[in-house]
Amino acid sequence: MSRADSPSRTALVFLGPPGAGKGTQARLLARGLSIPHISTGDLFRDHVEKKTPLGLTAKAFMERGELVSDEVVNNMVRERLQEPDCDSGFLLDGYPRTLPQAEMLKEFLRERSCGAPLVVNLGVSYTESVKRLGGRRICPVCQRTYNLVSQPPSKDTVCDDDGAALQQRPDDREEAIRERLSAYEAQTAPLIEYYKAQGSLHEVNAERTPELISEELMRVIRQ
Ligand code: ADP
């Protein structure tokens, strides 16, 4: 049996609405566990920046706050999961986001004789999501994330670390936020019941400080 087929592979999935803090927590946890953090949003943004054919397909959907088609996302994720750094596990952030995507992941893990993924749902209310996303600003140089309301930079709207002018993600504009939240309700929220029925879901209250959430995530993983 190759390492890629090892049942000891840790497959972690972060669910939660936009603005739940999945990216922040996923980066920390993946580093702590020495497994790759695979964010489909980041993969798409990278393709958009490099103007690849995939990026050109995804860009318009992303800017409107709509989901990219399952076929496109599934192919991109399947390819990424076949890379050798995923042999001993991976953390998926922003995937699956629809039932057909969850089915593709199940099939991928089944082909490799792996069990069900460990799924964590980071729960935040609609009002809190809107507040967090509307205030989010990102440093284009070091990618550090700020929030103009809860974690503002110390000077104006420039990065504390490198002085670069902070930017707003195109999909953090008001109309796109509303669209993302309704796509979440219609297409992603049903995954909570899907994974609950399989006994692989852990609920984490994400309306607390990042430190408290991190501690709880570590406890869930160790169990
Ligand atoms: P969010 O902060 O809304 O969780 P992400 O950074 O994860 O945003 O994703 C940004 C955008 O990329 C989404 O609004 C969507 O257009 C696209 N996207 C990311 N992951 C997926 C996915 N699994 N299925 C379809 N579209 C996706």
Side-chain angles (χ1 to χ4, degrees), residues 192-218:
I192 298 175
E193 286 308 317
Y194 171 91
Y195 283 120
K196 209 182 265 175
Q198 295 177 17
S200 30
L201 187 85
H202 294 262
E203 299 271 9
V204 169
N205 171 8
E207 291 202 16
R208 297 176 298 161
T209 62
E211 293 74 23
L212 283 176
I213 299 167
S214 276
E215 280 168 26
E216 186 172 345
L217 286 172
M218 281 316 282

mmCIF file with all atom_site columns, all heavy atoms in Angstrom, residues 192-218:
data_model
loop_
_atom_site.group_PDB
_atom_site.id
_atom_site.type_symbol
_atom_site.label_atom_id
_atom_site.label_alt_id
_atom_site.label_comp_id
_atom_site.label_asym_id
_atom_site.label_entity_id
_atom_site.label_seq_id
_atom_site.pdbx_PDB_ins_code
_atom_site.Cartn_x
_atom_site.Cartn_y
_atom_site.Cartn_z
_atom_site.occupancy
_atom_site.B_iso_or_equiv
_atom_site.pdbx_formal_charge
_atom_site.auth_seq_id
_atom_site.auth_comp_id
_atom_site.auth_asym_id
_atom_site.auth_atom_id
_atom_site.pdbx_PDB_model_num
ATOM 1   N N   . ILE A 1 192 ? -24.516 20.655 6.460  1.00 0.00 ? 192 ILE A N   1
ATOM 2   C CA  . ILE A 1 192 ? -24.457 20.456 7.910  1.00 0.00 ? 192 ILE A CA  1
ATOM 3   C C   . ILE A 1 192 ? -25.250 19.196 8.268  1.00 0.00 ? 192 ILE A C   1
ATOM 4   O O   . ILE A 1 192 ? -24.752 18.309 8.970  1.00 0.00 ? 192 ILE A O   1
ATOM 5   C CB  . ILE A 1 192 ? -24.996 21.708 8.654  1.00 0.00 ? 192 ILE A CB  1
ATOM 6   C CG1 . ILE A 1 192 ? -24.110 22.910 8.321  1.00 0.00 ? 192 ILE A CG1 1
ATOM 7   C CG2 . ILE A 1 192 ? -25.075 21.470 10.155 1.00 0.00 ? 192 ILE A CG2 1
ATOM 8   C CD1 . ILE A 1 192 ? -24.623 24.235 8.903  1.00 0.00 ? 192 ILE A CD1 1
ATOM 9   N N   . GLU A 1 193 ? -26.472 19.085 7.738  1.00 0.00 ? 193 GLU A N   1
ATOM 10  C CA  . GLU A 1 193 ? -27.296 17.899 8.013  1.00 0.00 ? 193 GLU A CA  1
ATOM 11  C C   . GLU A 1 193 ? -26.678 16.646 7.388  1.00 0.00 ? 193 GLU A C   1
ATOM 12  O O   . GLU A 1 193 ? -26.707 15.572 7.968  1.00 0.00 ? 193 GLU A O   1
ATOM 13  C CB  . GLU A 1 193 ? -28.726 18.086 7.456  1.00 0.00 ? 193 GLU A CB  1
ATOM 14  C CG  . GLU A 1 193 ? -29.570 19.048 8.278  1.00 0.00 ? 193 GLU A CG  1
ATOM 15  C CD  . GLU A 1 193 ? -29.587 18.710 9.782  1.00 0.00 ? 193 GLU A CD  1
ATOM 16  O OE1 . GLU A 1 193 ? -29.711 17.514 10.121 1.00 0.00 ? 193 GLU A OE1 1
ATOM 17  O OE2 . GLU A 1 193 ? -29.452 19.640 10.604 1.00 0.00 ? 193 GLU A OE2 1
ATOM 18  N N   . TYR A 1 194 ? -26.124 16.820 6.197  1.00 0.00 ? 194 TYR A N   1
ATOM 19  C CA  . TYR A 1 194 ? -25.509 15.691 5.473  1.00 0.00 ? 194 TYR A CA  1
ATOM 20  C C   . TYR A 1 194 ? -24.401 15.055 6.321  1.00 0.00 ? 194 TYR A C   1
ATOM 21  O O   . TYR A 1 194 ? -24.360 13.847 6.508  1.00 0.00 ? 194 TYR A O   1
ATOM 22  C CB  . TYR A 1 194 ? -24.965 16.235 4.146  1.00 0.00 ? 194 TYR A CB  1
ATOM 23  C CG  . TYR A 1 194 ? -24.109 15.320 3.306  1.00 0.00 ? 194 TYR A CG  1
ATOM 24  C CD1 . TYR A 1 194 ? -24.684 14.501 2.337  1.00 0.00 ? 194 TYR A CD1 1
ATOM 25  C CD2 . TYR A 1 194 ? -22.714 15.303 3.444  1.00 0.00 ? 194 TYR A CD2 1
ATOM 26  C CE1 . TYR A 1 194 ? -23.897 13.680 1.529  1.00 0.00 ? 194 TYR A CE1 1
ATOM 27  C CE2 . TYR A 1 194 ? -21.926 14.489 2.645  1.00 0.00 ? 194 TYR A CE2 1
ATOM 28  C CZ  . TYR A 1 194 ? -22.520 13.670 1.693  1.00 0.00 ? 194 TYR A CZ  1
ATOM 29  O OH  . TYR A 1 194 ? -21.735 12.867 0.898  1.00 0.00 ? 194 TYR A OH  1
ATOM 30  N N   . TYR A 1 195 ? -23.516 15.907 6.876  1.00 0.00 ? 195 TYR A N   1
ATOM 31  C CA  . TYR A 1 195 ? -22.416 15.347 7.664  1.00 0.00 ? 195 TYR A CA  1
ATOM 32  C C   . TYR A 1 195 ? -22.881 14.931 9.060  1.00 0.00 ? 195 TYR A C   1
ATOM 33  O O   . TYR A 1 195 ? -22.331 14.009 9.643  1.00 0.00 ? 195 TYR A O   1
ATOM 34  C CB  . TYR A 1 195 ? -21.248 16.335 7.729  1.00 0.00 ? 195 TYR A CB  1
ATOM 35  C CG  . TYR A 1 195 ? -20.444 16.359 6.437  1.00 0.00 ? 195 TYR A CG  1
ATOM 36  C CD1 . TYR A 1 195 ? -20.315 17.520 5.687  1.00 0.00 ? 195 TYR A CD1 1
ATOM 37  C CD2 . TYR A 1 195 ? -19.830 15.204 5.967  1.00 0.00 ? 195 TYR A CD2 1
ATOM 38  C CE1 . TYR A 1 195 ? -19.585 17.538 4.502  1.00 0.00 ? 195 TYR A CE1 1
ATOM 39  C CE2 . TYR A 1 195 ? -19.104 15.215 4.774  1.00 0.00 ? 195 TYR A CE2 1
ATOM 40  C CZ  . TYR A 1 195 ? -18.980 16.376 4.049  1.00 0.00 ? 195 TYR A CZ  1
ATOM 41  O OH  . TYR A 1 195 ? -18.257 16.373 2.879  1.00 0.00 ? 195 TYR A OH  1
ATOM 42  N N   . LYS A 1 196 ? -23.914 15.625 9.583  1.00 0.00 ? 196 LYS A N   1
ATOM 43  C CA  . LYS A 1 196 ? -24.444 15.237 10.891 1.00 0.00 ? 196 LYS A CA  1
ATOM 44  C C   . LYS A 1 196 ? -24.988 13.814 10.794 1.00 0.00 ? 196 LYS A C   1
ATOM 45  O O   . LYS A 1 196 ? -24.724 12.975 11.645 1.00 0.00 ? 196 LYS A O   1
ATOM 46  C CB  . LYS A 1 196 ? -25.564 16.213 11.292 1.00 0.00 ? 196 LYS A CB  1
ATOM 47  C CG  . LYS A 1 196 ? -25.711 16.379 12.800 1.00 0.00 ? 196 LYS A CG  1
ATOM 48  C CD  . LYS A 1 196 ? -26.856 17.313 13.123 1.00 0.00 ? 196 LYS A CD  1
ATOM 49  C CE  . LYS A 1 196 ? -26.379 18.746 13.326 1.00 0.00 ? 196 LYS A CE  1
ATOM 50  N NZ  . LYS A 1 196 ? -27.510 19.679 13.529 1.00 0.00 ? 196 LYS A NZ  1
ATOM 51  N N   . ALA A 1 197 ? -25.704 13.538 9.710  1.00 0.00 ? 197 ALA A N   1
ATOM 52  C CA  . ALA A 1 197 ? -26.300 12.206 9.533  1.00 0.00 ? 197 ALA A CA  1
ATOM 53  C C   . ALA A 1 197 ? -25.221 11.130 9.449  1.00 0.00 ? 197 ALA A C   1
ATOM 54  O O   . ALA A 1 197 ? -25.449 9.972  9.796  1.00 0.00 ? 197 ALA A O   1
ATOM 55  C CB  . ALA A 1 197 ? -27.161 12.198 8.275  1.00 0.00 ? 197 ALA A CB  1
ATOM 56  N N   . GLN A 1 198 ? -24.014 11.520 8.995  1.00 0.00 ? 198 GLN A N   1
ATOM 57  C CA  . GLN A 1 198 ? -22.929 10.534 8.895  1.00 0.00 ? 198 GLN A CA  1
ATOM 58  C C   . GLN A 1 198 ? -22.120 10.454 10.182 1.00 0.00 ? 198 GLN A C   1
ATOM 59  O O   . GLN A 1 198 ? -21.140 9.729  10.262 1.00 0.00 ? 198 GLN A O   1
ATOM 60  C CB  . GLN A 1 198 ? -21.987 10.916 7.744  1.00 0.00 ? 198 GLN A CB  1
ATOM 61  C CG  . GLN A 1 198 ? -22.654 10.850 6.403  1.00 0.00 ? 198 GLN A CG  1
ATOM 62  C CD  . GLN A 1 198 ? -21.725 11.290 5.282  1.00 0.00 ? 198 GLN A CD  1
ATOM 63  O OE1 . GLN A 1 198 ? -20.502 11.364 5.423  1.00 0.00 ? 198 GLN A OE1 1
ATOM 64  N NE2 . GLN A 1 198 ? -22.316 11.588 4.142  1.00 0.00 ? 198 GLN A NE2 1
ATOM 65  N N   . GLY A 1 199 ? -22.479 11.273 11.159 1.00 0.00 ? 199 GLY A N   1
ATOM 66  C CA  . GLY A 1 199 ? -21.770 11.249 12.448 1.00 0.00 ? 199 GLY A CA  1
ATOM 67  C C   . GLY A 1 199 ? -20.378 11.859 12.377 1.00 0.00 ? 199 GLY A C   1
ATOM 68  O O   . GLY A 1 199 ? -19.537 11.596 13.227 1.00 0.00 ? 199 GLY A O   1
ATOM 69  N N   . SER A 1 200 ? -20.107 12.706 11.338 1.00 0.00 ? 200 SER A N   1
ATOM 70  C CA  . SER A 1 200 ? -18.741 13.247 11.265 1.00 0.00 ? 200 SER A CA  1
ATOM 71  C C   . SER A 1 200 ? -18.684 14.752 11.526 1.00 0.00 ? 200 SER A C   1
ATOM 72  O O   . SER A 1 200 ? -17.678 15.383 11.246 1.00 0.00 ? 200 SER A O   1
ATOM 73  C CB  . SER A 1 200 ? -18.082 12.910 9.924  1.00 0.00 ? 200 SER A CB  1
ATOM 74  O OG  . SER A 1 200 ? -19.006 12.794 8.888  1.00 0.00 ? 200 SER A OG  1
ATOM 75  N N   . LEU A 1 201 ? -19.763 15.320 12.075 1.00 0.00 ? 201 LEU A N   1
ATOM 76  C CA  . LEU A 1 201 ? -19.794 16.773 12.236 1.00 0.00 ? 201 LEU A CA  1
ATOM 77  C C   . LEU A 1 201 ? -19.504 17.239 13.665 1.00 0.00 ? 201 LEU A C   1
ATOM 78  O O   . LEU A 1 201 ? -20.035 16.689 14.621 1.00 0.00 ? 201 LEU A O   1
ATOM 79  C CB  . LEU A 1 201 ? -21.176 17.304 11.828 1.00 0.00 ? 201 LEU A CB  1
ATOM 80  C CG  . LEU A 1 201 ? -21.236 18.832 11.794 1.00 0.00 ? 201 LEU A CG  1
ATOM 81  C CD1 . LEU A 1 201 ? -20.733 19.346 10.455 1.00 0.00 ? 201 LEU A CD1 1
ATOM 82  C CD2 . LEU A 1 201 ? -22.644 19.341 12.042 1.00 0.00 ? 201 LEU A CD2 1
ATOM 83  N N   . HIS A 1 202 ? -18.650 18.249 13.777 1.00 0.00 ? 202 HIS A N   1
ATOM 84  C CA  . HIS A 1 202 ? -18.408 18.908 15.073 1.00 0.00 ? 202 HIS A CA  1
ATOM 85  C C   . HIS A 1 202 ? -18.781 20.371 14.938 1.00 0.00 ? 202 HIS A C   1
ATOM 86  O O   . HIS A 1 202 ? -18.299 21.038 14.028 1.00 0.00 ? 202 HIS A O   1
ATOM 87  C CB  . HIS A 1 202 ? -16.933 18.811 15.472 1.00 0.00 ? 202 HIS A CB  1
ATOM 88  C CG  . HIS A 1 202 ? -16.518 17.412 15.736 1.00 0.00 ? 202 HIS A CG  1
ATOM 89  N ND1 . HIS A 1 202 ? -16.451 16.881 16.994 1.00 0.00 ? 202 HIS A ND1 1
ATOM 90  C CD2 . HIS A 1 202 ? -16.197 16.420 14.874 1.00 0.00 ? 202 HIS A CD2 1
ATOM 91  C CE1 . HIS A 1 202 ? -16.098 15.608 16.899 1.00 0.00 ? 202 HIS A CE1 1
ATOM 92  N NE2 . HIS A 1 202 ? -15.930 15.303 15.628 1.00 0.00 ? 202 HIS A NE2 1
ATOM 93  N N   . GLU A 1 203 ? -19.627 20.848 15.844 1.00 0.00 ? 203 GLU A N   1
ATOM 94  C CA  . GLU A 1 203 ? -20.043 22.253 15.794 1.00 0.00 ? 203 GLU A CA  1
ATOM 95  C C   . GLU A 1 203 ? -19.131 23.083 16.681 1.00 0.00 ? 203 GLU A C   1
ATOM 96  O O   . GLU A 1 203 ? -18.876 22.710 17.828 1.00 0.00 ? 203 GLU A O   1
ATOM 97  C CB  . GLU A 1 203 ? -21.472 22.403 16.352 1.00 0.00 ? 203 GLU A CB  1
ATOM 98  C CG  . GLU A 1 203 ? -22.532 21.636 15.592 1.00 0.00 ? 203 GLU A CG  1
ATOM 99  C CD  . GLU A 1 203 ? -23.142 22.443 14.456 1.00 0.00 ? 203 GLU A CD  1
ATOM 100 O OE1 . GLU A 1 203 ? -22.625 23.545 14.145 1.00 0.00 ? 203 GLU A OE1 1
ATOM 101 O OE2 . GLU A 1 203 ? -24.129 21.947 13.876 1.00 0.00 ? 203 GLU A OE2 1
ATOM 102 N N   . VAL A 1 204 ? -18.653 24.200 16.153 1.00 0.00 ? 204 VAL A N   1
ATOM 103 C CA  . VAL A 1 204 ? -17.815 25.104 16.946 1.00 0.00 ? 204 VAL A CA  1
ATOM 104 C C   . VAL A 1 204 ? -18.416 26.509 16.841 1.00 0.00 ? 204 VAL A C   1
ATOM 105 O O   . VAL A 1 204 ? -18.692 26.991 15.735 1.00 0.00 ? 204 VAL A O   1
ATOM 106 C CB  . VAL A 1 204 ? -16.355 25.087 16.417 1.00 0.00 ? 204 VAL A CB  1
ATOM 107 C CG1 . VAL A 1 204 ? -15.532 26.182 17.035 1.00 0.00 ? 204 VAL A CG1 1
ATOM 108 C CG2 . VAL A 1 204 ? -15.707 23.740 16.683 1.00 0.00 ? 204 VAL A CG2 1
ATOM 109 N N   . ASN A 1 205 ? -18.612 27.140 17.988 1.00 0.00 ? 205 ASN A N   1
ATOM 110 C CA  . ASN A 1 205 ? -19.141 28.504 17.985 1.00 0.00 ? 205 ASN A CA  1
ATOM 111 C C   . ASN A 1 205 ? -18.023 29.473 17.581 1.00 0.00 ? 205 ASN A C   1
ATOM 112 O O   . ASN A 1 205 ? -17.050 29.646 18.305 1.00 0.00 ? 205 ASN A O   1
ATOM 113 C CB  . ASN A 1 205 ? -19.671 28.816 19.391 1.00 0.00 ? 205 ASN A CB  1
ATOM 114 C CG  . ASN A 1 205 ? -20.032 30.278 19.560 1.00 0.00 ? 205 ASN A CG  1
ATOM 115 O OD1 . ASN A 1 205 ? -20.026 31.050 18.594 1.00 0.00 ? 205 ASN A OD1 1
ATOM 116 N ND2 . ASN A 1 205 ? -20.335 30.666 20.787 1.00 0.00 ? 205 ASN A ND2 1
ATOM 117 N N   . ALA A 1 206 ? -18.178 30.080 16.401 1.00 0.00 ? 206 ALA A N   1
ATOM 118 C CA  . ALA A 1 206 ? -17.110 30.949 15.885 1.00 0.00 ? 206 ALA A CA  1
ATOM 119 C C   . ALA A 1 206 ? -17.339 32.419 16.215 1.00 0.00 ? 206 ALA A C   1
ATOM 120 O O   . ALA A 1 206 ? -16.658 33.289 15.687 1.00 0.00 ? 206 ALA A O   1
ATOM 121 C CB  . ALA A 1 206 ? -16.944 30.738 14.387 1.00 0.00 ? 206 ALA A CB  1
ATOM 122 N N   . GLU A 1 207 ? -18.299 32.701 17.095 1.00 0.00 ? 207 GLU A N   1
ATOM 123 C CA  . GLU A 1 207 ? -18.495 34.105 17.515 1.00 0.00 ? 207 GLU A CA  1
ATOM 124 C C   . GLU A 1 207 ? -17.734 34.362 18.801 1.00 0.00 ? 207 GLU A C   1
ATOM 125 O O   . GLU A 1 207 ? -18.273 34.864 19.780 1.00 0.00 ? 207 GLU A O   1
ATOM 126 C CB  . GLU A 1 207 ? -19.995 34.401 17.682 1.00 0.00 ? 207 GLU A CB  1
ATOM 127 C CG  . GLU A 1 207 ? -20.715 34.403 16.351 1.00 0.00 ? 207 GLU A CG  1
ATOM 128 C CD  . GLU A 1 207 ? -22.021 35.176 16.359 1.00 0.00 ? 207 GLU A CD  1
ATOM 129 O OE1 . GLU A 1 207 ? -22.265 35.961 17.288 1.00 0.00 ? 207 GLU A OE1 1
ATOM 130 O OE2 . GLU A 1 207 ? -22.807 34.958 15.423 1.00 0.00 ? 207 GLU A OE2 1
ATOM 131 N N   . ARG A 1 208 ? -16.482 33.938 18.828 1.00 0.00 ? 208 ARG A N   1
ATOM 132 C CA  . ARG A 1 208 ? -15.620 34.160 19.998 1.00 0.00 ? 208 ARG A CA  1
ATOM 133 C C   . ARG A 1 208 ? -14.265 34.611 19.481 1.00 0.00 ? 208 ARG A C   1
ATOM 134 O O   . ARG A 1 208 ? -14.062 34.739 18.285 1.00 0.00 ? 208 ARG A O   1
ATOM 135 C CB  . ARG A 1 208 ? -15.496 32.855 20.790 1.00 0.00 ? 208 ARG A CB  1
ATOM 136 C CG  . ARG A 1 208 ? -16.838 32.400 21.352 1.00 0.00 ? 208 ARG A CG  1
ATOM 137 C CD  . ARG A 1 208 ? -16.731 31.079 22.046 1.00 0.00 ? 208 ARG A CD  1
ATOM 138 N NE  . ARG A 1 208 ? -16.304 30.050 21.117 1.00 0.00 ? 208 ARG A NE  1
ATOM 139 C CZ  . ARG A 1 208 ? -15.775 28.885 21.468 1.00 0.00 ? 208 ARG A CZ  1
ATOM 140 N NH1 . ARG A 1 208 ? -15.583 28.611 22.745 1.00 0.00 ? 208 ARG A NH1 1
ATOM 141 N NH2 . ARG A 1 208 ? -15.421 28.002 20.568 1.00 0.00 ? 208 ARG A NH2 1
ATOM 142 N N   . THR A 1 209 ? -13.302 34.792 20.396 1.00 0.00 ? 209 THR A N   1
ATOM 143 C CA  . THR A 1 209 ? -12.000 35.274 19.930 1.00 0.00 ? 209 THR A CA  1
ATOM 144 C C   . THR A 1 209 ? -11.305 34.165 19.135 1.00 0.00 ? 209 THR A C   1
ATOM 145 O O   . THR A 1 209 ? -11.529 32.969 19.386 1.00 0.00 ? 209 THR A O   1
ATOM 146 C CB  . THR A 1 209 ? -11.075 35.645 21.115 1.00 0.00 ? 209 THR A CB  1
ATOM 147 O OG1 . THR A 1 209 ? -10.843 34.459 21.875 1.00 0.00 ? 209 THR A OG1 1
ATOM 148 C CG2 . THR A 1 209 ? -11.695 36.712 21.991 1.00 0.00 ? 209 THR A CG2 1
ATOM 149 N N   . PRO A 1 210 ? -10.436 34.561 18.187 1.00 0.00 ? 210 PRO A N   1
ATOM 150 C CA  . PRO A 1 210 ? -9.708  33.552 17.402 1.00 0.00 ? 210 PRO A CA  1
ATOM 151 C C   . PRO A 1 210 ? -8.939  32.574 18.303 1.00 0.00 ? 210 PRO A C   1
ATOM 152 O O   . PRO A 1 210 ? -8.854  31.381 18.003 1.00 0.00 ? 210 PRO A O   1
ATOM 153 C CB  . PRO A 1 210 ? -8.735  34.389 16.564 1.00 0.00 ? 210 PRO A CB  1
ATOM 154 C CG  . PRO A 1 210 ? -9.360  35.747 16.474 1.00 0.00 ? 210 PRO A CG  1
ATOM 155 C CD  . PRO A 1 210 ? -10.152 35.935 17.736 1.00 0.00 ? 210 PRO A CD  1
ATOM 156 N N   . GLU A 1 211 ? -8.415  33.053 19.447 1.00 0.00 ? 211 GLU A N   1
ATOM 157 C CA  . GLU A 1 211 ? -7.628  32.184 20.330 1.00 0.00 ? 211 GLU A CA  1
ATOM 158 C C   . GLU A 1 211 ? -8.501  31.077 20.919 1.00 0.00 ? 211 GLU A C   1
ATOM 159 O O   . GLU A 1 211 ? -8.120  29.911 20.945 1.00 0.00 ? 211 GLU A O   1
ATOM 160 C CB  . GLU A 1 211 ? -6.978  32.976 21.479 1.00 0.00 ? 211 GLU A CB  1
ATOM 161 C CG  . GLU A 1 211 ? -5.901  33.971 21.042 1.00 0.00 ? 211 GLU A CG  1
ATOM 162 C CD  . GLU A 1 211 ? -6.471  35.224 20.358 1.00 0.00 ? 211 GLU A CD  1
ATOM 163 O OE1 . GLU A 1 211 ? -7.655  35.559 20.595 1.00 0.00 ? 211 GLU A OE1 1
ATOM 164 O OE2 . GLU A 1 211 ? -5.726  35.857 19.570 1.00 0.00 ? 211 GLU A OE2 1
ATOM 165 N N   . LEU A 1 212 ? -9.705  31.464 21.403 1.00 0.00 ? 212 LEU A N   1
ATOM 166 C CA  . LEU A 1 212 ? -10.606 30.461 21.999 1.00 0.00 ? 212 LEU A CA  1
ATOM 167 C C   . LEU A 1 212 ? -11.046 29.433 20.960 1.00 0.00 ? 212 LEU A C   1
ATOM 168 O O   . LEU A 1 212 ? -11.145 28.243 21.243 1.00 0.00 ? 212 LEU A O   1
ATOM 169 C CB  . LEU A 1 212 ? -11.842 31.133 22.606 1.00 0.00 ? 212 LEU A CB  1
ATOM 170 C CG  . LEU A 1 212 ? -11.627 31.822 23.954 1.00 0.00 ? 212 LEU A CG  1
ATOM 171 C CD1 . LEU A 1 212 ? -12.903 32.540 24.396 1.00 0.00 ? 212 LEU A CD1 1
ATOM 172 C CD2 . LEU A 1 212 ? -11.219 30.794 25.008 1.00 0.00 ? 212 LEU A CD2 1
ATOM 173 N N   . ILE A 1 213 ? -11.290 29.914 19.742 1.00 0.00 ? 213 ILE A N   1
ATOM 174 C CA  . ILE A 1 213 ? -11.720 28.989 18.678 1.00 0.00 ? 213 ILE A CA  1
ATOM 175 C C   . ILE A 1 213 ? -10.587 28.002 18.363 1.00 0.00 ? 213 ILE A C   1
ATOM 176 O O   . ILE A 1 213 ? -10.810 26.799 18.256 1.00 0.00 ? 213 ILE A O   1
ATOM 177 C CB  . ILE A 1 213 ? -12.147 29.766 17.413 1.00 0.00 ? 213 ILE A CB  1
ATOM 178 C CG1 . ILE A 1 213 ? -13.326 30.692 17.753 1.00 0.00 ? 213 ILE A CG1 1
ATOM 179 C CG2 . ILE A 1 213 ? -12.520 28.827 16.284 1.00 0.00 ? 213 ILE A CG2 1
ATOM 180 C CD1 . ILE A 1 213 ? -13.646 31.727 16.686 1.00 0.00 ? 213 ILE A CD1 1
ATOM 181 N N   . SER A 1 214 ? -9.363  28.524 18.276 1.00 0.00 ? 214 SER A N   1
ATOM 182 C CA  . SER A 1 214 ? -8.198  27.657 18.006 1.00 0.00 ? 214 SER A CA  1
ATOM 183 C C   . SER A 1 214 ? -8.062  26.573 19.055 1.00 0.00 ? 214 SER A C   1
ATOM 184 O O   . SER A 1 214 ? -7.831  25.411 18.727 1.00 0.00 ? 214 SER A O   1
ATOM 185 C CB  . SER A 1 214 ? -6.909  28.461 18.085 1.00 0.00 ? 214 SER A CB  1
ATOM 186 O OG  . SER A 1 214 ? -6.664  29.080 16.904 1.00 0.00 ? 214 SER A OG  1
ATOM 187 N N   . GLU A 1 215 ? -8.211  26.979 20.330 1.00 0.00 ? 215 GLU A N   1
ATOM 188 C CA  . GLU A 1 215 ? -8.073  25.989 21.413 1.00 0.00 ? 215 GLU A CA  1
ATOM 189 C C   . GLU A 1 215 ? -9.116  24.897 21.264 1.00 0.00 ? 215 GLU A C   1
ATOM 190 O O   . GLU A 1 215 ? -8.817  23.715 21.417 1.00 0.00 ? 215 GLU A O   1
ATOM 191 C CB  . GLU A 1 215 ? -8.268  26.650 22.786 1.00 0.00 ? 215 GLU A CB  1
ATOM 192 C CG  . GLU A 1 215 ? -7.038  27.383 23.264 1.00 0.00 ? 215 GLU A CG  1
ATOM 193 C CD  . GLU A 1 215 ? -7.344  28.264 24.477 1.00 0.00 ? 215 GLU A CD  1
ATOM 194 O OE1 . GLU A 1 215 ? -8.301  27.958 25.221 1.00 0.00 ? 215 GLU A OE1 1
ATOM 195 O OE2 . GLU A 1 215 ? -6.623  29.271 24.647 1.00 0.00 ? 215 GLU A OE2 1
ATOM 196 N N   . GLU A 1 216 ? -10.348 25.316 20.964 1.00 0.00 ? 216 GLU A N   1
ATOM 197 C CA  . GLU A 1 216 ? -11.394 24.298 20.845 1.00 0.00 ? 216 GLU A CA  1
ATOM 198 C C   . GLU A 1 216 ? -11.132 23.376 19.651 1.00 0.00 ? 216 GLU A C   1
ATOM 199 O O   . GLU A 1 216 ? -11.344 22.170 19.722 1.00 0.00 ? 216 GLU A O   1
ATOM 200 C CB  . GLU A 1 216 ? -12.777 24.951 20.718 1.00 0.00 ? 216 GLU A CB  1
ATOM 201 C CG  . GLU A 1 216 ? -13.850 23.881 20.738 1.00 0.00 ? 216 GLU A CG  1
ATOM 202 C CD  . GLU A 1 216 ? -15.266 24.414 20.822 1.00 0.00 ? 216 GLU A CD  1
ATOM 203 O OE1 . GLU A 1 216 ? -15.438 25.612 21.143 1.00 0.00 ? 216 GLU A OE1 1
ATOM 204 O OE2 . GLU A 1 216 ? -16.181 23.617 20.558 1.00 0.00 ? 216 GLU A OE2 1
ATOM 205 N N   . LEU A 1 217 ? -10.634 23.950 18.551 1.00 0.00 ? 217 LEU A N   1
ATOM 206 C CA  . LEU A 1 217 ? -10.355 23.117 17.377 1.00 0.00 ? 217 LEU A CA  1
ATOM 207 C C   . LEU A 1 217 ? -9.301  22.073 17.704 1.00 0.00 ? 217 LEU A C   1
ATOM 208 O O   . LEU A 1 217 ? -9.416  20.912 17.318 1.00 0.00 ? 217 LEU A O   1
ATOM 209 C CB  . LEU A 1 217 ? -9.885  23.993 16.210 1.00 0.00 ? 217 LEU A CB  1
ATOM 210 C CG  . LEU A 1 217 ? -10.993 24.814 15.549 1.00 0.00 ? 217 LEU A CG  1
ATOM 211 C CD1 . LEU A 1 217 ? -10.405 25.804 14.545 1.00 0.00 ? 217 LEU A CD1 1
ATOM 212 C CD2 . LEU A 1 217 ? -11.984 23.891 14.840 1.00 0.00 ? 217 LEU A CD2 1
ATOM 213 N N   . MET A 1 218 ? -8.280  22.464 18.452 1.00 0.00 ? 218 MET A N   1
ATOM 214 C CA  . MET A 1 218 ? -7.231  21.504 18.815 1.00 0.00 ? 218 MET A CA  1
ATOM 215 C C   . MET A 1 218 ? -7.824  20.379 19.658 1.00 0.00 ? 218 MET A C   1
ATOM 216 O O   . MET A 1 218 ? -7.482  19.215 19.484 1.00 0.00 ? 218 MET A O   1
ATOM 217 C CB  . MET A 1 218 ? -6.073  22.192 19.570 1.00 0.00 ? 218 MET A CB  1
ATOM 218 C CG  . MET A 1 218 ? -5.090  22.936 18.682 1.00 0.00 ? 218 MET A CG  1
ATOM 219 S SD  . MET A 1 218 ? -4.574  22.072 17.168 1.00 0.00 ? 218 MET A SD  1
ATOM 220 C CE  . MET A 1 218 ? -3.386  20.906 17.785 1.00 0.00 ? 218 MET A CE  1
#
